[in-house]
Amino acid sequence: MKTILSEQQISLTVKRLAHQILEDYLQLKDTVIIGIQPRGVHLSDRIVHELSQLIPPASIQYGKLDITFYRDDIRKELHVPNKTDIPFGIENKNVVIIDDVLYKGRTIRAALDALLDFGRPAKVGLCVLIDRRFSREFPIQPDYVGRAIDTFSSQKVKVNWKEKDGRESVELI
Amino acid sequence: MRLSTKHLLGIKDLHKEDIQLILSTAAQFKDVLQRPVKKVPSLRDITIVNLFYENSTRTRISFELAEKRLSADTINFTASGSSAAKGETLLDTVNNILSMKVDMVVMRHSASGAPHFLSKHIPAAIVNAGDGINEHPTQALLDALSMTEKFGKLEGLKVAIIGDIMHSRVALSNIYLLKKMGAEVIVAGPPTLIPKYITEAFGLKVEYDIKKALQWCDVANVLRIQLERQNQPLFSSLREYNLAYGISRRLLESLGKEITIMHPGPINRGVELDSDVADGPYSIVLNQVENGVAVRMAVLYLLANREN
């Protein structure tokens, strides 16, 4: 096991990602943040918290998206759905999707499908904490990356969150 | 997490965890039904046949809508106007349909146990949409979802099932489900419409005085008098039944407490339920129908054929 990011590094990375998003979408004008259920939401919660220190919290539109019903592997494995909560329209908005780890790109493929059922966004960006590069199975690339790493398919990336796992770290197993 | 069964033949075969999984999945599907696009692509590679050997409005429309909302392909079969009228057996009909590459069968039949028989002979997953006087599992599940939404949980809830218990598959499925989920259940109605051994079989209390039953319960699930299944007179007239066992607004107001009224439909207005009760503020009949689609989506989603 190797630690890729420590608690302090995660905190700094989250700050940077929030600033980068704000740099592209000043004051988050016409922009919404969407975290992917279940584990991407821990990261999006933190990024939204960071953003709320930088701009008025009322101007942040933040939703959560569950992609279970849009997966392409339901014949192989049954997933239990989580709550989708998008209390605003995304028509003609800039959408920033947030997830913890980008690996094969299949989750994000499903997320794009799910998202389009809520309207036609002007633009969709992707923000991830960990990018397992060179392992994509779909032409999907992130716009905001915490840390890009090279991994074998036999390895696993585990992101631990304090509220869920009791400690904060990213590990390569 | 997955269901412990391959088919949904009855609530009898389900575990508590299965019921919880179906209800929590149904709650997420209910959210989907509120969206602008009320459809998900989950079952786009699945074909489902709806085999209805018995009349149905709600259940058939609800299943078909659930299938379409899941993007499944559907075929509808009704016994009248089919080769069943020419004498083809149930198994032959189903095998012929399955040879056209159908993955799931939703089935209603007037013979109790028909889906159980089928499940022993065909590889497709079967969902029982009501078999004779045995079970109607998806109705019990949608009743459970409606009660959970209203009261938060089923455990400890006091439910009175009222009316034609004898001929009701809804009653049996509800009794199995409510017992498994820890609710308290009594049945009430005229003695001729209550099965003789129900107390021994389920440890249920039987109440013949409807007012006492209503006074005790939080929820009254009122059943339809199934005249089509009664081949001998079991009470003297519908009017007399209404006077002794029908639920009227005056009766509800005399209880001194608020109870919730459910009915699986179709309602015989003026027999088991008066119109001002069926359409009144205590009735959650239309919520039940709304929840039907979500519950059936959950069942079909959780049972859809998988590789392992």
Side-chain angles (χ1 to χ4, degrees):
Chain A
M1 193 194 80
K2 185 176 167 239
T3 301
I4 300 169
L5 293 177
S6 67
E7 181 171 353
Q8 195 193 359
Q9 283 171 310
I10 290 178
S11 152
L12 287 167
T13 305
V14 166
K15 283 197 174 76
R16 169 168 58 82
L17 291 173
H19 279 92
Q20 281 179 328
I21 292 170
L22 216 50
E23 199 178 352
D24 283 357
Y25 304 102
L26 282 173
Q27 300 299 311
L28 291 186
K29 191 173 177 300
D30 292 326
T31 303
V32 306
I33 308 285
I34 302 239
I36 303 291
Q37 288 273 29
R39 298 205 60 109
V41 167
H42 299 289
L43 176 63
S44 58
D45 279 350
R46 281 171 174 67
I47 290 180
V48 167
H49 177 76
E50 210 53 60
L51 287 169
S52 67
Q53 316 286 316
L54 304 166
I55 57 170
S59 59
I60 304 173
Q61 289 193 303
Y62 173 36
K64 294 167 186 177
L65 180 67
D66 182 63
I67 57 117
T68 308
F69 300 135
Y70 295 83
R71 300 185 72 101
D72 56 9
D73 59 352
I74 69 155
R75 273 192 178 251
K76 286 197 193 116
E77 198 183 341
L78 188 62
H79 296 265
V80 177
N82 297 286
K83 184 117 188 105
T84 290
D85 180 22
I86 303 182
F88 42 78
I90 61 162
E91 194 76 22
N92 285 324
K93 295 282 174 64
N94 303 307
V95 178
V96 180
I97 297 178
I98 298 182
D99 203 359
D100 55 352
V101 181
L102 177 62
Y103 180 31
K104 295 176 177 175
R106 286 184 187 262
T107 302
I108 300 305
R109 199 277 318 154
L112 290 171
D113 264 9
L115 199 63
L116 293 179
D117 279 357
F118 287 86
R120 184 179 184 277
K123 186 179 168 189
V124 181
L126 174 61
C127 167
V128 296
L129 186 60
I130 300 294
D131 172 15
R132 296 179 70 171
R133 57 184 174 183
F134 310 127
S135 45
R136 220 75 79 228
E137 292 173 358
F138 278 99
I140 283 168
Q141 299 306 330
D143 303 294
Y144 312 95
V145 182
R147 175 76 59 98
I149 57 169
D150 298 331
T151 56
F152 296 112
S153 59
S154 58
Q155 292 173 304
K156 271 187 86 167
V157 174
K158 177 96 175 59
V159 183
N160 299 305
W161 300 106
K162 223 171 214 154
E163 62 273 24
K164 175 105 182 153
D165 313 289
R167 63 185 199 284
E168 202 117 327
S169 62
V170 179
E171 292 156 359
L172 186 64
I173 302 167
Chain B
M1 284 275 278
R2 56 177 54 234
L3 293 179
S4 63
T5 60
K6 194 180 163 235
H7 310 285
L8 179 65
L9 301 177
I11 303 291
K12 190 182 178 184
D13 315 319
L14 296 184
H15 298 131
K16 192 176 175 184
E17 294 72 33
D18 294 326
I19 296 167
Q20 280 163 339
L21 177 60
I22 293 171
L23 294 181
S24 65
T25 308
Q28 302 309 328
F29 278 121
K30 210 174 163 189
D31 276 358
V32 171
L33 296 174
Q34 314 297 326
R35 296 181 193 165
V37 178
K38 298 172 184 58
K39 202 170 163 139
V40 291
S42 306
L43 301 194
R44 64 185 156 200
D45 51 348
I46 302 272
T47 308
I48 303 175
V49 59
N50 300 312
L51 277 180
F52 278 74
Y53 280 88
E54 204 186 59
N55 296 337
S56 166
T57 309
R58 251 162 309 278
T59 308
R60 193 163 59 83
I61 289 179
S62 180
F63 264 111
E64 194 173 343
L65 208 49
E67 289 151 9
K68 296 209 152 103
R69 302 280 196 230
L70 288 166
S71 306
D73 292 318
T74 64
I75 324 167
N76 288 307
F77 168 99
T78 40
S80 60
S82 73
S83 281
K86 298 179 190 167
E88 191 176 43
T89 65
L90 171 62
L91 192 52
D92 276 346
T93 303
V94 173
N95 271 329
N96 275 282
I97 293 172
L98 290 185
S99 67
M100 297 181 234
K101 303 277 175 283
V102 171
D103 307 286
M104 293 179 87
V105 178
V106 172
M107 180 184 183
R108 164 164 293 190
H109 203 287
S110 55
S112 304
H116 305 71
F117 161 77
L118 215 53
S119 71
K120 293 193 179 81
H121 293 95
I122 63 166
I126 297 170
V127 179
N128 182 358
D131 62 327
I133 57 167
N134 178 38
E135 280 221 46
H136 191 351
T138 54
Q139 178 72 41
L141 288 162
L142 73 89
D143 287 348
L145 182 61
S146 309
M147 286 185 270
T148 311
E149 282 177 357
K150 173 104 193 179
F151 295 97
K153 60 177 182 170
L154 295 174
E155 206 179 332
L157 195 66
K158 291 177 173 171
V159 184
I161 303 175
I162 296 171
D164 188 353
I165 311 295
M166 178 88 86
H167 302 96
S168 176
R169 51 197 176 208
V170 177
L172 196 57
S173 287
N174 260 289
I175 291 168
Y176 278 126
L177 188 145
L178 292 167
K179 287 252 153 195
K180 284 181 196 215
M181 303 308 285
E184 288 181 61
V185 190
I186 67 168
V187 294
T192 47
L193 291 179
I194 291 181
K196 197 172 168 189
Y197 296 109
I198 195 156
T199 311
E200 288 85 337
F202 292 103
L204 290 178
K205 199 169 157 266
V206 179
E207 180 61 71
Y208 299 109
D209 181 341
I210 188 149
K211 193 167 176 185
K212 281 190 191 154
L214 293 177
Q215 228 139 25
W216 170 84
C217 71
D218 303 314
V219 184
N221 198 346
V222 187
L223 305 175
R224 183 173 64 92
I225 295 296
Q226 304 202 24
L227 290 171
E228 77 275 17
R229 287 188 219 282
Q230 299 178 8
N231 43 22
Q232 56 183 5
L234 294 167
F235 48 89
S236 46
S237 73
L238 289 175
R239 181 165 158 70
E240 193 196 277
Y241 182 88
N242 179 249
L243 289 173
Y245 294 99
I247 298 180
S248 62
R249 185 149 206 158
R250 186 192 296 174
L251 179 59
L252 285 185
E253 278 164 3
S254 74
L255 298 175
K257 65 181 256 197
E258 269 188 35
I259 62 167
T260 298
I261 301 287
M262 302 206 302
H263 192 295
I267 301 174
N268 292 320
R269 285 172 183 263
V271 183
E272 68 267 2
L273 272 191
D274 285 358
S275 278
D276 51 1
V277 176
D279 309 327
Y282 306 135
S283 158
I284 56 166
V285 171
L286 292 178
N287 292 48
Q288 290 175 267
V289 179
E290 188 192 348
N291 285 338
V293 178
V295 156
R296 290 175 176 120
M297 285 174 86
V299 168
L300 293 167
Y301 172 77
L302 293 169
L303 286 178
N305 242 334
R306 299 203 158 71
E307 278 166 356
N308 45 5

